[in-house]
Amino acid sequence: MNAVTPRPPHGFRAIPRGVWALGFVSLCMDASSELVHGLLPVFMVGTLGAGMASVGLIEGLAEATASITKLFSGILSDVLGRRKLLAVIGYGLATLSKPLFPLASSLGLVFAARFVDRIGKGIRGAPRDALIADIAPVHLRGACYGLRQSLDTVGAVLGPLLAVLLVAGLAFDIRTALWFAVLPAMLAVLLLVVGVEEPRHAPAAERPAAGAAPLHVRDLRLLPGAYWRVLLTGGLLTLARFSEAFLVLRAGDVGLGTGLVPLVMVVMSLAYALSSYPAGVLADRIDRRRLLALGIAALLLADLVLAAAGAIVPVMLGVALWGLHMGLTQGLLATLVADTAPPALRGSAFGLFNLLTGLVLLAASLVAGILWDRAGAAATFLAGGGFALLSLLTLSALGRRHAIERPLASRSRSG
């Protein structure tokens, strides 16, 4: 008789300790960052007198900076095989940027603070995502990315909630409230240093040599066609999703008071957090193409609701749908990158993916800001909905032959 192969362990207990630690690192840093981001659009527009186009430019440039940096940090993590070191440097830079926000007296200093913060995010992003792939069992990869994303987004709920409480308790003194972002950022760095143990990486002979061009053009041929399809899908989807600063501004546009504006990010992040881990579990079990299509449809619906909204309740519904879209797609895209990239080029693959999506996000945020200034909020969200529809049609047009791959476990059972 053939021996029965035991079913590999699943569930929370099967997820490695390092993934949990990275999740709580993300939770603390996101609580810090979202405390700032929940107040920053209002601070820029109300206190510093910025226009919507300036908000779009600053937010887009900041995110593009992070994405460009992710390319180089991802490559460097492949060359050095030291992903944790780069993550510590990145989280440390983000922590150092936090005092600059309450000290800002001009848009220039706000931009400088956002620039340093996003440089830190860029340095840590690709190495951290690749580190999760190094730690996670293959059959739990979707769940591990979903858990990390979910804990990250819990921080994104706590940050704006803290912002609301602080602004109310400090008589709408936004500058003082921004100082409270420093402590959770410091805790994130401490947790990373003591709580994450880096596994052994591929031998140096299997990695690009130090001093050489780590991501040479010929190395791109080592990235399979499935990876390039993931890259195309992620780029089109990002074109439909501009900066979340415009969600905050939309709520203010329909009359939500300054002290309650951070609740927008609470609603979005709560939907994001609640959907990320279940979406990650589903990504290990069902056709990922369908899951991605569902996430794009949620973004399309969110844009239509936000375009038509004239009151706070429908705006919050649109914001919740936006968060649902994020939960269904962001961890899934990371899982797909990890699945399709060779292990020795995994950091580079994440870096290239983030470079493309960051540059696209810059373009999308610039267009959103210009449309808002010239044609109003409804035009901004209708344009986003149009791009979401385009990305959905493109995903469908790829056809079954080029479909996003099913989970690895499913493929191995069917093969």
Side-chain angles (χ1 to χ4, degrees):
M1 294 179 63
N2 294 329
V4 177
T5 302
R7 184 174 182 267
H10 286 75
F12 283 130
R13 291 183 179 180
I15 292 176
R17 184 175 68 90
V19 174
W20 280 100
L22 286 167
F24 281 106
V25 168
S26 293
L27 186 156
C28 291
M29 185 55 74
D30 228 49
S32 172
S33 295
E34 294 304 328
L35 190 162
V36 172
H37 299 164
L39 297 172
L40 198 59
V42 176
F43 183 63
M44 286 192 287
V45 173
T47 303
L48 301 179
M52 298 301 181
S54 295
V55 173
L57 178 63
I58 290 174
E59 290 296 311
L61 283 173
E63 295 301 331
T65 298
S67 299
I68 293 170
T69 310
K70 284 178 183 179
L71 173 62
F72 296 104
S73 67
I75 293 171
L76 192 59
S77 77
D78 286 337
V79 173
L80 300 177
R82 299 287 302 277
R83 306 200 200 280
K84 178 180 172 179
L85 173 63
L86 291 168
V88 170
I89 292 171
Y91 279 105
L93 271 179
T95 300
L96 291 174
S97 76
K98 293 302 185 285
L100 298 178
F101 292 103
L103 293 172
S105 58
S106 67
L107 285 177
L109 191 52
V110 169
F111 175 73
R114 284 286 280 151
F115 183 79
V116 173
D117 178 57
R118 296 298 89 176
I119 285 285
K121 180 177 181 180
I123 291 174
R124 72 182 184 254
R128 180 204 61 213
D129 290 342
L131 182 57
I132 291 173
D134 293 341
I135 295 172
V138 173
H139 72 283
L140 289 176
R141 191 172 280 161
C144 287
Y145 278 107
L147 177 69
R148 205 281 317 170
Q149 194 66 67
S150 185
L151 288 172
D152 176 276
T153 314
V154 169
V157 173
L158 297 176
L161 276 177
L162 185 57
V164 171
L165 295 174
L166 287 169
V167 168
L170 296 168
F172 299 93
D173 183 353
I174 294 178
R175 287 187 187 276
T176 302
L178 290 170
W179 280 107
F180 284 82
V182 176
L183 185 59
M186 294 174 64
L187 181 58
V189 176
L190 180 62
L191 280 173
L192 177 59
V193 171
V194 302
V196 178
E197 182 177 349
E198 186 164 16
R200 293 181 61 186
H201 293 288
E206 298 179 22
R207 299 195 302 267
L215 192 62
H216 195 277
V217 172
R218 65 175 175 268
D219 293 330
L220 298 180
R221 291 179 297 181
L222 300 176
L223 296 171
Y227 170 79
W228 295 107
R229 292 194 289 276
V230 172
L231 197 68
L232 172 64
T233 303
L236 286 173
L237 183 56
T238 304
L239 190 61
R241 180 178 55 82
F242 37 78
S243 170
E244 282 114 22
F246 292 99
L247 303 181
V248 175
L249 295 171
R250 186 68 173 117
D253 193 48
V254 299
L256 188 64
T258 300
L260 296 176
V261 160
L263 287 176
V264 172
M265 297 307 294
V266 172
V267 171
M268 191 212 79
S269 299
L270 190 59
Y272 192 173
L274 291 175
S275 57
S276 290
Y277 179 69
V281 172
L282 281 175
D284 289 329
R285 299 179 181 179
I286 69 170
D287 187 339
R288 290 168 174 170
R289 184 169 172 265
R290 294 180 182 178
L291 189 60
L292 190 58
L294 182 61
I296 298 171
L299 177 60
L300 173 58
L301 184 57
D303 279 319
L304 294 176
V305 171
L306 289 163
I312 293 171
V313 171
V315 165
M316 289 301 189
L317 174 61
V319 167
L321 287 167
W322 191 289
L324 175 62
H325 144 74
M326 297 289 283
L328 291 172
T329 61
Q330 298 309 292
L332 173 57
L333 288 170
T335 303
L336 290 169
V337 172
D339 281 352
T340 56
L345 288 175
R346 194 171 275 152
S348 302
F350 272 108
L352 186 59
F353 178 84
N354 285 300
L355 172 64
L356 174 69
T357 54
L359 292 176
V360 172
L361 183 60
L362 168 59
S365 296
L366 281 172
V367 170
I370 292 169
L371 277 174
W372 192 303
D373 276 341
R374 296 186 178 180
T380 298
F381 288 102
L382 285 174
F387 285 122
L389 180 60
L390 176 63
S391 64
L392 189 59
L393 292 174
T394 302
L395 179 64
S396 177
L398 289 175
R400 295 303 305 175
R401 185 171 64 89
H402 296 296
I404 300 300
E405 280 72 26
R406 289 174 294 159
L408 293 179
S410 298
R411 294 205 301 276
S412 62
R413 285 195 300 268
S414 63

